[in-house]
PDB file of all heavy atoms in Angstrom:
ATOM      1  N   ASN A 226     124.448 149.776  84.598  1.00 84.00           N
ATOM      2  CA  ASN A 226     125.328 150.893  84.924  1.00 84.00           C
ATOM      3  C   ASN A 226     124.843 151.821  85.864  1.00 84.00           C
ATOM      4  O   ASN A 226     125.546 152.701  86.318  1.00 84.00           O
ATOM      5  CB  ASN A 226     125.697 151.705  83.545  1.00 84.00           C
ATOM      6  CG  ASN A 226     126.354 150.789  82.623  1.00 84.00           C
ATOM      7  OD1 ASN A 226     127.222 149.928  82.903  1.00 84.00           O
ATOM      8  ND2 ASN A 226     126.214 151.119  81.355  1.00 84.00           N
ATOM      9  N   ASN A 227     123.610 151.555  86.355  1.00 84.00           N
ATOM     10  CA  ASN A 227     123.007 152.414  87.375  1.00 84.00           C
ATOM     11  C   ASN A 227     123.454 151.965  88.661  1.00 84.00           C
ATOM     12  O   ASN A 227     123.389 150.656  89.007  1.00 84.00           O
ATOM     13  CB  ASN A 227     121.433 152.305  87.264  1.00 84.00           C
ATOM     14  CG  ASN A 227     120.682 153.044  88.220  1.00 84.00           C
ATOM     15  OD1 ASN A 227     121.214 153.588  89.243  1.00 84.00           O
ATOM     16  ND2 ASN A 227     119.369 153.407  87.816  1.00 84.00           N
ATOM     17  N   GLY A 228     123.938 152.833  89.501  1.00 83.00           N
ATOM     18  CA  GLY A 228     124.358 152.467  90.877  1.00 83.00           C
ATOM     19  C   GLY A 228     123.459 151.872  91.732  1.00 83.00           C
ATOM     20  O   GLY A 228     123.762 150.979  92.550  1.00 83.00           O
ATOM     21  N   LEU A 229     122.174 152.239  91.706  1.00 88.00           N
ATOM     22  CA  LEU A 229     121.143 151.840  92.605  1.00 88.00           C
ATOM     23  C   LEU A 229     120.761 150.410  92.213  1.00 88.00           C
ATOM     24  O   LEU A 229     120.652 149.388  93.015  1.00 88.00           O
ATOM     25  CB  LEU A 229     119.830 152.571  92.547  1.00 88.00           C
ATOM     26  CG  LEU A 229     118.734 152.204  93.488  1.00 88.00           C
ATOM     27  CD1 LEU A 229     119.303 152.288  94.959  1.00 88.00           C
ATOM     28  CD2 LEU A 229     117.595 153.017  93.345  1.00 88.00           C
ATOM     29  N   VAL A 230     120.731 150.054  90.879  1.00 89.00           N
ATOM     30  CA  VAL A 230     120.568 148.585  90.499  1.00 89.00           C
ATOM     31  C   VAL A 230     121.680 147.763  90.933  1.00 89.00           C
ATOM     32  O   VAL A 230     121.452 146.659  91.310  1.00 89.00           O
ATOM     33  CB  VAL A 230     120.405 148.688  88.950  1.00 89.00           C
ATOM     34  CG1 VAL A 230     120.389 147.262  88.315  1.00 89.00           C
ATOM     35  CG2 VAL A 230     119.139 149.328  88.490  1.00 89.00           C
ATOM     36  N   ARG A 231     122.988 148.270  90.867  1.00 89.00           N
ATOM     37  CA  ARG A 231     124.029 147.507  91.357  1.00 89.00           C
ATOM     38  C   ARG A 231     123.900 147.200  92.804  1.00 89.00           C
ATOM     39  O   ARG A 231     124.221 146.022  93.247  1.00 89.00           O
ATOM     40  CB  ARG A 231     125.405 148.124  90.965  1.00 89.00           C
ATOM     41  CG  ARG A 231     125.721 148.231  89.490  1.00 89.00           C
ATOM     42  CD  ARG A 231     127.030 148.909  89.221  1.00 89.00           C
ATOM     43  NE  ARG A 231     127.233 148.920  87.864  1.00 89.00           N
ATOM     44  CZ  ARG A 231     128.321 149.321  87.365  1.00 89.00           C
ATOM     45  NH1 ARG A 231     129.371 149.871  88.162  1.00 89.00           N
ATOM     46  NH2 ARG A 231     128.718 149.306  85.960  1.00 89.00           N
ATOM     47  N   LEU A 232     123.504 148.233  93.633  1.00 89.00           N
ATOM     48  CA  LEU A 232     123.326 148.066  95.014  1.00 89.00           C
ATOM     49  C   LEU A 232     122.222 146.924  95.282  1.00 89.00           C
ATOM     50  O   LEU A 232     122.430 146.098  96.191  1.00 89.00           O
ATOM     51  CB  LEU A 232     122.924 149.302  95.651  1.00 89.00           C
ATOM     52  CG  LEU A 232     124.024 150.297  96.195  1.00 89.00           C
ATOM     53  CD1 LEU A 232     123.313 151.539  96.687  1.00 89.00           C
ATOM     54  CD2 LEU A 232     124.765 149.517  97.377  1.00 89.00           C
ATOM     55  N   ILE A 233     121.218 147.093  94.701  1.00 91.00           N
ATOM     56  CA  ILE A 233     120.141 146.087  94.854  1.00 91.00           C
ATOM     57  C   ILE A 233     120.416 144.690  94.492  1.00 91.00           C
ATOM     58  O   ILE A 233     120.302 143.809  95.320  1.00 91.00           O
ATOM     59  CB  ILE A 233     118.857 146.586  94.072  1.00 91.00           C
ATOM     60  CG1 ILE A 233     118.191 147.807  94.663  1.00 91.00           C
ATOM     61  CG2 ILE A 233     117.750 145.449  93.976  1.00 91.00           C
ATOM     62  CD1 ILE A 233     117.212 148.460  93.857  1.00 91.00           C
ATOM     63  N   VAL A 234     121.119 144.540  93.396  1.00 90.00           N
ATOM     64  CA  VAL A 234     121.560 143.169  92.926  1.00 90.00           C
ATOM     65  C   VAL A 234     122.555 142.596  93.832  1.00 90.00           C
ATOM     66  O   VAL A 234     122.586 141.428  94.260  1.00 90.00           O
ATOM     67  CB  VAL A 234     122.053 143.197  91.576  1.00 90.00           C
ATOM     68  CG1 VAL A 234     122.726 141.824  91.199  1.00 90.00           C
ATOM     69  CG2 VAL A 234     120.834 143.494  90.615  1.00 90.00           C
ATOM     70  N   SER A 235     123.563 143.380  94.188  1.00 88.00           N
ATOM     71  CA  SER A 235     124.670 142.944  95.169  1.00 88.00           C
ATOM     72  C   SER A 235     124.098 142.484  96.654  1.00 88.00           C
ATOM     73  O   SER A 235     124.381 141.496  97.099  1.00 88.00           O
ATOM     74  CB  SER A 235     125.585 144.031  95.341  1.00 88.00           C
ATOM     75  OG  SER A 235     126.156 144.413  94.156  1.00 88.00           O
ATOM     76  N   HIS A 236     123.201 143.247  97.117  1.00 89.00           N
ATOM     77  CA  HIS A 236     122.609 143.005  98.419  1.00 89.00           C
ATOM     78  C   HIS A 236     121.726 141.770  98.255  1.00 89.00           C
ATOM     79  O   HIS A 236     121.656 140.954  99.247  1.00 89.00           O
ATOM     80  CB  HIS A 236     121.935 144.179  99.018  1.00 89.00           C
ATOM     81  CG  HIS A 236     122.723 145.269  99.536  1.00 89.00           C
ATOM     82  ND1 HIS A 236     123.238 146.248  98.770  1.00 89.00           N
ATOM     83  CD2 HIS A 236     123.251 145.522 100.863  1.00 89.00           C
ATOM     84  CE1 HIS A 236     124.154 146.946  99.492  1.00 89.00           C
ATOM     85  NE2 HIS A 236     124.130 146.581 100.708  1.00 89.00           N
ATOM     86  N   ALA A 237     120.901 141.700  97.222  1.00 91.00           N
ATOM     87  CA  ALA A 237     120.081 140.601  97.071  1.00 91.00           C
ATOM     88  C   ALA A 237     120.763 139.262  97.033  1.00 91.00           C
ATOM     89  O   ALA A 237     120.253 138.220  97.396  1.00 91.00           O
ATOM     90  CB  ALA A 237     119.080 140.792  95.807  1.00 91.00           C
ATOM     91  N   MET A 238     121.895 139.300  96.380  1.00 87.00           N
ATOM     92  CA  MET A 238     122.621 137.967  96.202  1.00 87.00           C
ATOM     93  C   MET A 238     123.014 137.261  97.488  1.00 87.00           C
ATOM     94  O   MET A 238     122.899 136.042  97.591  1.00 87.00           O
ATOM     95  CB  MET A 238     123.976 138.222  95.361  1.00 87.00           C
ATOM     96  CG  MET A 238     123.821 138.587  94.031  1.00 87.00           C
ATOM     97  SD  MET A 238     122.871 137.324  93.067  1.00 87.00           S
ATOM     98  CE  MET A 238     121.341 138.161  92.764  1.00 87.00           C
ATOM     99  N   PHE A 239     123.233 137.939  98.527  1.00 85.00           N
ATOM    100  CA  PHE A 239     123.435 137.352  99.794  1.00 85.00           C
ATOM    101  C   PHE A 239     122.163 136.887 100.388  1.00 85.00           C
ATOM    102  O   PHE A 239     122.104 135.860 101.075  1.00 85.00           O
ATOM    103  CB  PHE A 239     124.171 138.343 100.741  1.00 85.00           C
ATOM    104  CG  PHE A 239     124.423 137.769 102.174  1.00 85.00           C
ATOM    105  CD1 PHE A 239     125.520 136.871 102.361  1.00 85.00           C
ATOM    106  CD2 PHE A 239     123.583 138.101 103.151  1.00 85.00           C
ATOM    107  CE1 PHE A 239     125.707 136.370 103.691  1.00 85.00           C
ATOM    108  CE2 PHE A 239     123.843 137.598 104.458  1.00 85.00           C
ATOM    109  CZ  PHE A 239     124.881 136.764 104.741  1.00 85.00           C
ATOM    110  N   SER A 240     121.066 137.752 100.269  1.00 90.00           N
ATOM    111  CA  SER A 240     119.900 137.525 100.966  1.00 90.00           C
ATOM    112  C   SER A 240     119.190 136.292 100.248  1.00 90.00           C
ATOM    113  O   SER A 240     118.369 135.723 100.941  1.00 90.00           O
ATOM    114  CB  SER A 240     118.948 138.697 100.963  1.00 90.00           C
ATOM    115  OG  SER A 240     119.662 139.785 101.636  1.00 90.00           O
ATOM    116  N   VAL A 241     119.320 136.132  98.938  1.00 93.00           N
ATOM    117  CA  VAL A 241     118.703 135.003  98.218  1.00 93.00           C
ATOM    118  C   VAL A 241     118.950 133.638  98.933  1.00 93.00           C
ATOM    119  O   VAL A 241     118.106 132.750  99.086  1.00 93.00           O
ATOM    120  CB  VAL A 241     119.053 135.106  96.712  1.00 93.00           C
ATOM    121  CG1 VAL A 241     118.763 133.730  96.076  1.00 93.00           C
ATOM    122  CG2 VAL A 241     118.454 136.202  96.112  1.00 93.00           C
ATOM    123  N   ALA A 242     120.180 133.440  99.313  1.00 92.00           N
ATOM    124  CA  ALA A 242     120.593 132.159  99.981  1.00 92.00           C
ATOM    125  C   ALA A 242     119.861 131.963 101.288  1.00 92.00           C
ATOM    126  O   ALA A 242     119.271 130.897 101.393  1.00 92.00           O
ATOM    127  CB  ALA A 242     122.061 132.177 100.227  1.00 92.00           C
ATOM    128  N   VAL A 243     119.652 132.997 101.970  1.00 93.00           N
ATOM    129  CA  VAL A 243     118.976 132.831 103.317  1.00 93.00           C
ATOM    130  C   VAL A 243     117.532 132.525 103.011  1.00 93.00           C
ATOM    131  O   VAL A 243     116.923 131.542 103.550  1.00 93.00           O
ATOM    132  CB  VAL A 243     119.123 134.171 104.139  1.00 93.00           C
ATOM    133  CG1 VAL A 243     118.325 134.139 105.364  1.00 93.00           C
ATOM    134  CG2 VAL A 243     120.591 134.412 104.425  1.00 93.00           C
ATOM    135  N   VAL A 244     116.910 133.286 102.211  1.00 94.00           N
ATOM    136  CA  VAL A 244     115.538 133.119 101.843  1.00 94.00           C
ATOM    137  C   VAL A 244     115.228 131.621 101.318  1.00 94.00           C
ATOM    138  O   VAL A 244     114.370 130.951 101.626  1.00 94.00           O
ATOM    139  CB  VAL A 244     115.010 134.203 100.886  1.00 94.00           C
ATOM    140  CG1 VAL A 244     113.513 133.829 100.482  1.00 94.00           C
ATOM    141  CG2 VAL A 244     115.047 135.493 101.540  1.00 94.00           C
ATOM    142  N   THR A 245     116.127 131.296 100.325  1.00 94.00           N
ATOM    143  CA  THR A 245     116.015 129.874  99.770  1.00 94.00           C
ATOM    144  C   THR A 245     115.999 128.824 100.813  1.00 94.00           C
ATOM    145  O   THR A 245     115.221 127.978 100.730  1.00 94.00           O
ATOM    146  CB  THR A 245     117.225 129.760  98.625  1.00 94.00           C
ATOM    147  OG1 THR A 245     117.091 130.767  97.787  1.00 94.00           O
ATOM    148  CG2 THR A 245     117.032 128.387  98.048  1.00 94.00           C
ATOM    149  N   PHE A 246     117.075 128.928 101.615  1.00 93.00           N
ATOM    150  CA  PHE A 246     117.088 127.792 102.676  1.00 93.00           C
ATOM    151  C   PHE A 246     115.904 127.787 103.661  1.00 93.00           C
ATOM    152  O   PHE A 246     115.505 126.730 104.121  1.00 93.00           O
ATOM    153  CB  PHE A 246     118.397 127.951 103.418  1.00 93.00           C
ATOM    154  CG  PHE A 246     119.587 127.538 102.548  1.00 93.00           C
ATOM    155  CD1 PHE A 246     120.717 128.349 102.604  1.00 93.00           C
ATOM    156  CD2 PHE A 246     119.622 126.491 101.725  1.00 93.00           C
ATOM    157  CE1 PHE A 246     121.805 127.976 101.881  1.00 93.00           C
ATOM    158  CE2 PHE A 246     120.741 126.150 100.940  1.00 93.00           C
ATOM    159  CZ  PHE A 246     121.811 126.854 101.045  1.00 93.00           C
ATOM    160  N   ILE A 247     115.422 128.973 103.976  1.00 93.00           N
ATOM    161  CA  ILE A 247     114.268 129.099 104.865  1.00 93.00           C
ATOM    162  C   ILE A 247     113.033 128.481 104.172  1.00 93.00           C
ATOM    163  O   ILE A 247     112.268 127.654 104.711  1.00 93.00           O
ATOM    164  CB  ILE A 247     114.049 130.513 105.356  1.00 93.00           C
ATOM    165  CG1 ILE A 247     115.135 130.905 106.301  1.00 93.00           C
ATOM    166  CG2 ILE A 247     112.599 130.607 105.977  1.00 93.00           C
ATOM    167  CD1 ILE A 247     115.116 132.341 106.760  1.00 93.00           C
ATOM    168  N   VAL A 248     112.793 128.962 102.928  1.00 91.00           N
ATOM    169  CA  VAL A 248     111.559 128.331 102.219  1.00 91.00           C
ATOM    170  C   VAL A 248     111.787 126.878 101.891  1.00 91.00           C
ATOM    171  O   VAL A 248     110.764 126.148 101.989  1.00 91.00           O
ATOM    172  CB  VAL A 248     111.394 129.174 100.861  1.00 91.00           C
ATOM    173  CG1 VAL A 248     110.425 128.496  99.943  1.00 91.00           C
ATOM    174  CG2 VAL A 248     111.022 130.645 101.192  1.00 91.00           C
ATOM    175  N   ARG A 249     112.956 126.398 101.541  1.00 91.00           N
ATOM    176  CA  ARG A 249     113.079 125.054 101.370  1.00 91.00           C
ATOM    177  C   ARG A 249     112.815 124.286 102.621  1.00 91.00           C
ATOM    178  O   ARG A 249     112.153 123.126 102.576  1.00 91.00           O
ATOM    179  CB  ARG A 249     114.615 124.689 100.931  1.00 91.00           C
ATOM    180  CG  ARG A 249     114.930 123.388 100.787  1.00 91.00           C
ATOM    181  CD  ARG A 249     116.339 123.126 100.463  1.00 91.00           C
ATOM    182  NE  ARG A 249     116.684 121.857 100.202  1.00 91.00           N
ATOM    183  CZ  ARG A 249     117.911 121.307 100.196  1.00 91.00           C
ATOM    184  NH1 ARG A 249     118.975 122.102 100.188  1.00 91.00           N
ATOM    185  NH2 ARG A 249     118.068 119.978  99.918  1.00 91.00           N
ATOM    186  N   ALA A 250     113.231 124.673 103.728  1.00 89.00           N
ATOM    187  CA  ALA A 250     112.910 123.881 104.871  1.00 89.00           C
ATOM    188  C   ALA A 250     111.563 123.944 105.256  1.00 89.00           C
ATOM    189  O   ALA A 250     110.887 122.871 105.757  1.00 89.00           O
ATOM    190  CB  ALA A 250     113.758 124.618 106.190  1.00 89.00           C
ATOM    191  N   ARG A 251     110.727 124.940 104.977  1.00 86.00           N
ATOM    192  CA  ARG A 251     109.330 125.145 105.260  1.00 86.00           C
ATOM    193  C   ARG A 251     108.595 124.331 104.320  1.00 86.00           C
ATOM    194  O   ARG A 251     107.616 123.561 104.566  1.00 86.00           O
ATOM    195  CB  ARG A 251     108.904 126.631 105.302  1.00 86.00           C
ATOM    196  CG  ARG A 251     107.608 126.817 105.833  1.00 86.00           C
ATOM    197  CD  ARG A 251     107.671 126.580 107.419  1.00 86.00           C
ATOM    198  NE  ARG A 251     106.475 126.186 107.788  1.00 86.00           N
ATOM    199  CZ  ARG A 251     106.095 124.955 108.519  1.00 86.00           C
ATOM    200  NH1 ARG A 251     107.032 124.121 108.712  1.00 86.00           N
ATOM    201  NH2 ARG A 251     104.860 124.745 108.832  1.00 86.00           N
ATOM    202  N   MET A 252     108.983 124.257 103.041  1.00 82.00           N
ATOM    203  CA  MET A 252     108.289 123.463 102.059  1.00 82.00           C
ATOM    204  C   MET A 252     108.474 121.999 102.147  1.00 82.00           C
ATOM    205  O   MET A 252     107.640 121.210 101.838  1.00 82.00           O
ATOM    206  CB  MET A 252     108.658 123.919 100.609  1.00 82.00           C
ATOM    207  CG  MET A 252     108.202 125.321 100.187  1.00 82.00           C
ATOM    208  SD  MET A 252     106.464 125.463 100.199  1.00 82.00           S
ATOM    209  CE  MET A 252     105.986 124.447  98.765  1.00 82.00           C
ATOM    210  N   ALA A 253     109.566 121.642 102.843  1.00 80.00           N
ATOM    211  CA  ALA A 253     109.738 120.229 103.178  1.00 80.00           C
ATOM    212  C   ALA A 253     108.711 119.679 104.043  1.00 80.00           C
ATOM    213  O   ALA A 253     108.561 118.466 104.113  1.00 80.00           O
ATOM    214  CB  ALA A 253     111.190 120.001 103.627  1.00 80.00           C
ATOM    215  N   GLY A 254     108.137 120.523 104.902  1.00 76.00           N
ATOM    216  CA  GLY A 254     107.147 120.117 105.890  1.00 76.00           C
ATOM    217  C   GLY A 254     105.789 120.090 105.344  1.00 76.00           C
ATOM    218  O   GLY A 254     104.828 119.635 106.033  1.00 76.00           O
ATOM    219  N   VAL A 255     105.627 120.447 104.079  1.00 74.00           N
ATOM    220  CA  VAL A 255     104.196 120.481 103.518  1.00 74.00           C
ATOM    221  C   VAL A 255     103.845 119.030 102.981  1.00 74.00           C
ATOM    222  O   VAL A 255     104.724 118.511 102.402  1.00 74.00           O
ATOM    223  CB  VAL A 255     104.073 121.516 102.310  1.00 74.00           C
ATOM    224  CG1 VAL A 255     102.712 121.413 101.530  1.00 74.00           C
ATOM    225  CG2 VAL A 255     104.351 122.927 102.800  1.00 74.00           C
ATOM    226  N   ASP A 256     102.613 118.632 103.388  1.00 74.00           N
ATOM    227  CA  ASP A 256     102.292 117.247 102.999  1.00 74.00           C
ATOM    228  C   ASP A 256     102.017 117.240 101.474  1.00 74.00           C
ATOM    229  O   ASP A 256     101.058 118.081 100.939  1.00 74.00           O
ATOM    230  CB  ASP A 256     101.040 116.929 103.727  1.00 74.00           C
ATOM    231  CG  ASP A 256     100.637 115.360 103.547  1.00 74.00           C
ATOM    232  OD1 ASP A 256     101.278 114.740 102.823  1.00 74.00           O
ATOM    233  OD2 ASP A 256      99.656 115.043 104.060  1.00 74.00           O
ATOM    234  N   THR A 257     102.718 116.455 100.633  1.00 74.00           N
ATOM    235  CA  THR A 257     102.595 116.509  99.246  1.00 74.00           C
ATOM    236  C   THR A 257     101.149 115.943  98.828  1.00 74.00           C
ATOM    237  O   THR A 257     100.614 116.193  97.773  1.00 74.00           O
ATOM    238  CB  THR A 257     103.598 115.653  98.583  1.00 74.00           C
ATOM    239  OG1 THR A 257     103.621 114.347  99.135  1.00 74.00           O
ATOM    240  CG2 THR A 257     104.914 116.299  98.759  1.00 74.00           C
ATOM    241  N   SER A 258     100.537 115.197  99.711  1.00 78.00           N
ATOM    242  CA  SER A 258      99.145 114.549  99.339  1.00 78.00           C
ATOM    243  C   SER A 258      98.053 115.562  99.332  1.00 78.00           C
ATOM    244  O   SER A 258      97.173 115.610  98.532  1.00 78.00           O
ATOM    245  CB  SER A 258      98.745 113.509 100.415  1.00 78.00           C
ATOM    246  OG  SER A 258      98.658 114.170 101.671  1.00 78.00           O
ATOM    247  N   LEU A 259      98.375 116.776 100.056  1.00 76.00           N
ATOM    248  CA  LEU A 259      97.446 117.958  99.923  1.00 76.00           C
ATOM    249  C   LEU A 259      97.630 118.542  98.523  1.00 76.00           C
ATOM    250  O   LEU A 259      96.627 119.123  98.015  1.00 76.00           O
ATOM    251  CB  LEU A 259      97.729 118.999 101.105  1.00 76.00           C
ATOM    252  CG  LEU A 259      97.478 118.443 102.508  1.00 76.00           C
ATOM    253  CD1 LEU A 259      97.903 119.417 103.528  1.00 76.00           C
ATOM    254  CD2 LEU A 259      96.003 118.037 102.614  1.00 76.00           C
ATOM    255  N   GLN A 260      98.891 118.734  98.126  1.00 76.00           N
ATOM    256  CA  GLN A 260      99.012 119.322  96.785  1.00 76.00           C
ATOM    257  C   GLN A 260      98.466 118.415  95.654  1.00 76.00           C
ATOM    258  O   GLN A 260      97.917 118.959  94.746  1.00 76.00           O
ATOM    259  CB  GLN A 260     100.515 119.542  96.622  1.00 76.00           C
ATOM    260  CG  GLN A 260     101.293 120.507  97.545  1.00 76.00           C
ATOM    261  CD  GLN A 260     102.631 120.639  97.488  1.00 76.00           C
ATOM    262  OE1 GLN A 260     103.283 119.929  96.636  1.00 76.00           O
ATOM    263  NE2 GLN A 260     103.245 121.565  98.281  1.00 76.00           N
ATOM    264  N   GLU A 261      98.661 117.104  95.734  1.00 79.00           N
ATOM    265  CA  GLU A 261      98.064 116.263  94.833  1.00 79.00           C
ATOM    266  C   GLU A 261      96.516 116.341  94.763  1.00 79.00           C
ATOM    267  O   GLU A 261      95.866 116.331  93.780  1.00 79.00           O
ATOM    268  CB  GLU A 261      98.586 114.857  95.064  1.00 79.00           C
ATOM    269  CG  GLU A 261      99.996 114.659  94.811  1.00 79.00           C
ATOM    270  CD  GLU A 261     100.547 113.283  95.325  1.00 79.00           C
ATOM    271  OE1 GLU A 261      99.852 112.538  95.994  1.00 79.00           O
ATOM    272  OE2 GLU A 261     101.773 113.154  95.306  1.00 79.00           O
ATOM    273  N   ALA A 262      95.980 116.377  96.033  1.00 83.00           N
ATOM    274  CA  ALA A 262      94.487 116.463  96.073  1.00 83.00           C
ATOM    275  C   ALA A 262      93.951 117.798  95.500  1.00 83.00           C
ATOM    276  O   ALA A 262      92.967 117.862  94.798  1.00 83.00           O
ATOM    277  CB  ALA A 262      94.046 116.400  97.589  1.00 83.00           C
ATOM    278  N   SER A 263      94.715 118.862  95.776  1.00 82.00           N
ATOM    279  CA  SER A 263      94.383 120.157  95.116  1.00 82.00           C
ATOM    280  C   SER A 263      94.387 120.137  93.651  1.00 82.00           C
ATOM    281  O   SER A 263      93.503 120.485  93.017  1.00 82.00           O
ATOM    282  CB  SER A 263      95.407 121.138  95.597  1.00 82.00           C
ATOM    283  OG  SER A 263      95.086 122.358  95.033  1.00 82.00           O
ATOM    284  N   ALA A 264      95.467 119.357  93.080  1.00 81.00           N
ATOM    285  CA  ALA A 264      95.428 119.349  91.603  1.00 81.00           C
ATOM    286  C   ALA A 264      94.408 118.314  91.104  1.00 81.00           C
ATOM    287  O   ALA A 264      93.821 118.751  90.104  1.00 81.00           O
ATOM    288  CB  ALA A 264      96.805 118.729  91.189  1.00 81.00           C
ATOM    289  N   ASP A 265      93.977 117.372  91.875  1.00 86.00           N
ATOM    290  CA  ASP A 265      92.927 116.457  91.440  1.00 86.00           C
ATOM    291  C   ASP A 265      91.552 117.264  91.376  1.00 86.00           C
ATOM    292  O   ASP A 265      90.715 116.922  90.567  1.00 86.00           O
ATOM    293  CB  ASP A 265      92.825 115.196  92.462  1.00 86.00           C
ATOM    294  CG  ASP A 265      93.915 114.293  92.195  1.00 86.00           C
ATOM    295  OD1 ASP A 265      94.574 114.360  91.103  1.00 86.00           O
ATOM    296  OD2 ASP A 265      94.185 113.479  92.916  1.00 86.00           O
ATOM    297  N   LEU A 266      91.455 118.160  92.422  1.00 86.00           N
ATOM    298  CA  LEU A 266      90.157 119.007  92.410  1.00 86.00           C
ATOM    299  C   LEU A 266      90.152 120.250  91.388  1.00 86.00           C
ATOM    300  O   LEU A 266      89.298 120.950  91.423  1.00 86.00           O
ATOM    301  CB  LEU A 266      89.967 119.468  93.767  1.00 86.00           C
ATOM    302  CG  LEU A 266      89.620 118.411  94.941  1.00 86.00           C
ATOM    303  CD1 LEU A 266      89.689 118.895  96.209  1.00 86.00           C
ATOM    304  CD2 LEU A 266      88.333 117.768  94.505  1.00 86.00           C
ATOM    305  N   GLY A 267      91.207 120.292  90.611  1.00 86.00           N
ATOM    306  CA  GLY A 267      91.243 121.271  89.566  1.00 86.00           C
ATOM    307  C   GLY A 267      91.849 122.664  89.876  1.00 86.00           C
ATOM    308  O   GLY A 267      91.871 123.568  89.111  1.00 86.00           O
TER     309      GLY A 267
END
């Protein structure tokens, strides 16, 4: 019911899509073997 919370959530809903697609594109370029090696090393 707080107006500021409503403003924050409303504005964030549009921005979430932009951030998600940018992070998804960047994470697609990460070599998964590095993540597996990291997990193997603890």
Side-chain angles (χ1 to χ4, degrees):
N226 293 330
N227 185 336
L229 185 60
V230 171
R231 291 180 177 188
L232 266 176
I233 289 172
V234 171
S235 300
H236 283 85
M238 286 302 107
F239 178 78
S240 304
V241 163
V243 176
V244 174
T245 301
F246 289 138
I247 291 171
V248 171
R249 177 186 181 186
R251 196 66 207 122
M252 289 299 293
V255 174
D256 190 3
T257 55
S258 64
L259 295 176
Q260 296 174 356
E261 293 167 1
S263 174
D265 288 343
L266 293 172

